[in-house]
């Protein structure tokens, strides 16, 4: 990668990160104390957008697919869960190497996986020769580093009180497999969907919110007859790709990667990652996994509870296979932001203050946009106009996420709204006083239409 491309990538990333902070999407956790170990807070616009992503995902799973029900399991579970799942023993550990000179730590597998051609060979060579890519110092021997976050329940901090913050939300689903199956009178195949926080003590958190220590997962576990596992794997992979396309991700920015056998997670029989083309390279945003009967059979064996499924009287019970779709709510938000971020040199919207500034437009899908409608009085020093604008705001705010803004020129305000992805701007002007109509401006086309105030709520329902 040449210097210019590197500079362009870091420029684009810097601009997205700066927009996130400046406009209230994402802040560093504990910022006034210098930040805290790759944890982030979602600001007023970030939380709206993340809630939208979660809502769209939840509806996709539980409304638009038959036979999928929801769950919200506790984050804290018995440590026996993590023993049986293999997270404390088998494979939930990264290989860590540390430079003896500059003391930077690396995940060994990441050193070996750097994508860029020139860097790949250098980094691979360095990994082989155990030299540091940062300063060429000698690297320590790799050692296993478990990613589970330990905590204690109760007043005494001894091993008997130790447990772990969940590292993947799906274990709560397996704990409730039988409860849900029986209480909802379900039959295989069926799915359980859950959204919730997960925690990993990542060695090399980086790239803004790409890899965090506290994050949110949206996971769906599809329980099926082992014979049908391959068919459902293909079905769910296709469904998940189509979800991103429908939400505005360009096909050329998504690809799939079948994880080679030797790199599979300890629970997986097969895994295909969905990769998004971030400014810093192709990276995983979602994993589709065939977990076989790993989870149910291990939990059955370790708990003594029979988690087998009886399909037909007189036949043998079997452990259903699990096809899992697992995506980070925060990581997908990051991908949606990167996809939507666009700059127009010189700007599209004229402002009185300046006409030459680069304009930023966040072309988010309307379902994901944090603010759906902005209400803008043309001028702020005309009481009739501002009164009408406030009436419109009151009329709409219970049904749509709205923002009222009267500061600065109208062009400047359009730009401010475009920058945060607001889908529609309503302008209340001098004609509104005469004929009760307002202007509706679309973020993407900048087309404006004149609508009667009495029709605005139904028009917005239709458009949004
Ligand atoms: N239950 C399976 C599972 O957890 P994973 O591939 O380890 O599989 C699934 O994680 C998804 O969770 C990833 O594709 C990513 O979107 C998200 N994710 C995982 N680790 C993350 C982290 N440290 N920060 C943000 N998101 C993460």
């Amino acid at each position: 990668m040449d210097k210019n491309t590197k500079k362009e990538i870091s420029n684009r990333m810097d601009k997205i990160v700066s927009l996130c902070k400046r406009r209230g999407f994402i802040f560093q956790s504990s910022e006034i104390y210098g930040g805290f170990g790759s944890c982030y807070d979602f600001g007023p616009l970030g939380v709206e957008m993340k809630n939208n992503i979660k809502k769209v995902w939840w509806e996709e799973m539980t409304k638009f697919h038959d036979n999928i029900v929801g769950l919200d399991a506790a984050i804290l579970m018995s440590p026996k869960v993590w023993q049986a799942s293999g997270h404390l023993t088998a494979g939930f550990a990264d290989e860590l190497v540390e430079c003896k000179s500059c003391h930077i730590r690396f995940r060994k597998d990441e050193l070996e996986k750097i994508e860029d051609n020139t860097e790949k060979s250098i980094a691979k060579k360095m990994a082989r020769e155990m030299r540091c890519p940062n300063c060429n110092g000698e690297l320590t021997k790799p050692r296993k580093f478990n990613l589970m976050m330990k905590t204690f329940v109760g007043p005494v901090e001894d091993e008997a009180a130790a447990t772990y913050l969940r590292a993947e939300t799906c274990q709560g689903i397996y704990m409730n497999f039988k409860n849900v199956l029986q209480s909802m009178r379900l039959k295989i195949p069926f799915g359980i969907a859950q959204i919730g926080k997960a925690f990993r003590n990542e060695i090399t958190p980086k790239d803004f919110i790409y890899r965090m220590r506290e994050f949110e997962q949206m996971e769906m576990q599809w329980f099926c007859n082992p014979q049908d596992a391959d068919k459902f794997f293909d079905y769910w992979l296709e469904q998940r790709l189509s979800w991103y396309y429908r939400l505005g991700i360009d096909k050329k920015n998504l690809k799939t990667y079948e994880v080679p056998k030797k790199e599979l997670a300890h629970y997986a029989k097969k895994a295909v990652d969905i990769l998004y083309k971030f400014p810093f390279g192709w990276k995983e945003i979602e994993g589709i996994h065939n977990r076989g009967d790993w989870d149910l059979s291990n939990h059955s064996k370790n708990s003594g509870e029979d988690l087998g499924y009886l399909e037909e009287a007189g036949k043998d019970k079997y452990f259903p296979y699990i096809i899992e779709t697992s995506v980070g709510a925060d990581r997908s938000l990051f991908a949606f932001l990167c996809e939507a971020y666009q700059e127009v040199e010189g700007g599209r919207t004229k402002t009185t203050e300046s006409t030459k500034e680069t304009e930023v437009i966040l072309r988010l899908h309307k379902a994901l946009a944090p603010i759906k409608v902005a209400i803008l009085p043309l001028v702020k020093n005309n009481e009739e106009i501002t009164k009408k604008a406030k009436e419109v705001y009151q009329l709409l705010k219970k049904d749509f996420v709205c923002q009222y803004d009267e500061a600065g020129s109208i062009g400047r305000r359009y730009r401010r709204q475009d920058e945060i992805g607001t889908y529609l701007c309503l302008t209340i002007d001098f004609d509104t006083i005469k004929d009760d109509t307002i202007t509706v401006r679309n973020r993407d086309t900048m087309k404006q239409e004149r609508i009667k105030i009495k029709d605005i709520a139904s028009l917005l329902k239709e458009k949004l």
Side-chain angles (χ1 to χ4, degrees):
M1 193 186 302
D2 62 46
K3 265 192 182 156
N4 284 344
T5 323
K6 261 191 179 165
K7 208 168 156 196
E8 233 171 73
I9 289 172
S10 89
N11 262 349
R12 191 170 164 83
M13 272 295 288
D14 288 350
K15 284 175 184 164
I16 294 172
V17 173
S18 145
L19 171 77
C20 283
K21 174 161 187 200
R22 199 164 30 82
R23 300 305 311 269
F25 281 85
I26 299 165
F27 309 122
Q28 228 193 347
S29 162
S30 320
E31 194 179 343
I32 61 169
Y33 288 103
F36 186 69
S38 211
C39 296
Y40 288 87
D41 300 337
F42 285 78
L45 297 194
V47 68
E48 288 293 343
M49 183 172 166
K50 190 144 71 125
N51 282 343
N52 291 339
I53 292 174
K54 291 192 282 185
K55 180 168 180 269
V56 175
W57 183 88
W58 189 258
E59 285 185 347
E60 170 78 11
M61 289 298 175
T62 62
K63 255 196 198 171
F64 304 131
H65 279 98
D66 289 336
N67 260 10
I68 299 185
V69 293
L71 182 78
D72 184 13
I75 289 176
L76 293 175
M77 287 181 271
S78 163
K80 290 177 186 165
V81 173
W82 302 106
Q83 203 69 46
S85 71
H87 283 77
L88 294 178
T89 45
F92 201 62
D94 285 339
E95 278 198 301
L96 166 78
V97 289
E98 185 174 335
C99 173
K100 289 181 182 170
S101 313
C102 70
H103 299 290
I104 294 185
R105 290 172 181 161
F106 304 93
R107 263 171 63 174
K108 189 162 176 284
D109 64 329
E110 287 230 318
L111 276 185
E112 290 160 356
K113 256 200 286 191
I114 296 175
E115 265 178 26
D116 174 81
N117 277 341
T118 47
E119 279 190 8
K120 186 178 181 178
S121 49
I122 294 167
K124 274 201 164 170
K125 188 163 174 279
M126 286 189 161
R128 249 193 340 262
E129 292 170 4
M130 296 302 283
R131 309 301 305 181
C132 169
N134 182 48
C135 72
N136 204 30
E138 195 189 340
L139 295 175
T140 58
K141 285 211 168 76
R143 72 183 161 88
K144 288 271 184 194
F145 179 82
N146 193 285
L147 303 183
M148 297 291 295
M149 291 239 194
K150 200 172 192 175
T151 187
F152 298 92
V153 285
V156 186
E157 290 194 7
D158 61 11
E159 273 314 295
T163 190
Y164 300 86
L165 301 183
R166 66 183 176 197
E168 54 173 7
T169 55
C170 56
Q171 293 300 328
I173 295 182
Y174 310 141
M175 289 305 99
N176 287 288
F177 167 70
K178 210 168 165 180
N179 286 336
V180 174
L181 179 75
Q182 290 175 348
S183 60
M184 304 306 286
R185 301 165 61 84
L186 292 166
K187 284 202 163 51
I188 269 168
F190 73 90
I192 304 181
Q194 180 174 226
I195 299 177
K197 290 268 186 174
F199 303 82
R200 293 183 193 176
N201 203 0
E202 298 281 3
I203 304 172
T204 54
K206 61 176 177 199
D207 293 325
F208 191 37
I209 61 166
Y210 179 78
R211 181 171 296 131
M212 299 190 286
R213 294 200 166 107
E214 175 183 338
F215 54 99
E216 226 168 340
Q217 286 187 316
M218 309 190 286
E219 296 199 305
M220 194 282 296
Q221 311 296 308
W222 184 253
F223 300 91
C224 64
N225 188 309
Q227 285 174 3
D228 298 328
D230 290 340
K231 174 183 85 184
F232 283 125
F233 189 99
D234 294 344
Y235 171 79
W236 280 110
L237 177 58
E238 191 228 304
Q239 287 293 307
R240 296 305 302 143
L241 283 167
S242 133
W243 187 75
Y244 293 104
Y245 301 148
R246 277 180 276 138
L247 289 172
I249 305 260
D250 196 318
K251 283 194 176 170
K252 71 175 184 333
N253 291 335
L254 278 184
K255 69 178 180 185
T256 55
Y257 167 76
E258 175 148 5
V259 181
K261 280 256 173 319
K262 64 177 178 20
E263 284 174 29
L264 285 174
H266 62 277
Y267 51 73
K269 277 185 166 327
K270 178 179 174 180
V272 171
D273 290 342
I274 297 179
L275 311 186
Y276 175 71
K277 194 175 184 189
F278 283 99
F280 45 89
W282 286 100
K283 297 278 174 185
E284 174 194 337
I285 51 171
E286 173 155 358
I288 314 297
H289 308 133
N290 176 350
R291 298 179 72 122
D293 66 1
W294 169 270
D295 301 280
L296 292 183
S297 66
N298 275 315
H299 286 308
S300 217
K301 194 163 69 204
N302 284 276
S303 67
E305 185 76 35
D306 179 8
L307 300 178
Y309 177 77
L310 183 67
E311 192 157 290
E312 226 181 288
K315 285 206 168 167
D316 286 342
K317 278 187 170 180
Y318 64 85
F319 289 116
Y321 269 27
I322 294 169
I323 305 301
E324 165 182 71
T325 71
S326 175
V327 49
D330 332 77
R331 200 178 276 185
S332 62
L333 177 143
F334 192 16
F336 287 122
L337 276 180
C338 292
E339 184 76 9
Y341 184 89
Q342 195 190 44
E343 289 182 346
V344 178
E345 257 178 65
R348 315 177 297 170
T349 316
K350 297 274 170 286
T351 68
T352 47
E353 292 93 339
S354 155
T355 50
K356 296 218 174 68
E357 274 170 40
T358 298
E359 186 180 344
V360 172
I361 305 153
L362 217 46
R363 292 187 188 274
L364 290 169
H365 188 283
K366 59 189 173 186
L368 305 186
I371 309 286
K372 308 293 181 208
V373 189
I375 289 126
L376 316 172
L378 184 66
V379 289
K380 68 171 177 186
N381 53 6
N382 180 311
E383 216 177 286
E384 275 184 292
I385 289 184
T386 52
K387 188 166 168 266
K388 257 291 180 249
K390 283 177 187 159
E391 278 169 22
V392 173
Y393 175 62
Q394 291 303 331
L395 174 78
L396 300 177
K397 75 173 203 185
K398 62 181 189 318
D399 291 323
F400 308 97
V401 182
C402 295
Q403 203 171 69
Y404 177 88
D405 185 8
E406 58 176 31
S409 74
I410 190 70
R412 178 64 68 196
R413 278 179 281 158
Y414 282 149
R415 282 190 175 204
R416 271 209 297 267
Q417 294 298 334
D418 289 346
E419 191 183 37
I420 57 170
T422 304
Y423 192 61
L424 297 171
C425 286
L426 309 185
T427 309
I428 290 84
D429 56 20
F430 293 98
D431 286 340
T432 313
I433 313 298
K434 287 187 240 150
D435 59 9
D436 242 21
T437 62
I438 56 180
T439 302
V440 181
R441 171 191 179 271
N442 178 292
R443 176 197 67 202
D444 297 330
T445 61
M446 296 205 304
K447 273 205 183 129
Q448 304 202 357
E449 46 183 324
R450 209 75 213 168
I451 303 289
K452 284 266 183 213
I453 291 181
K454 71 173 174 49
D455 297 329
I456 195 70
S458 54
L459 180 96
L460 292 188
K461 270 197 186 119
E462 188 189 302
K463 281 193 187 287
L464 292 166

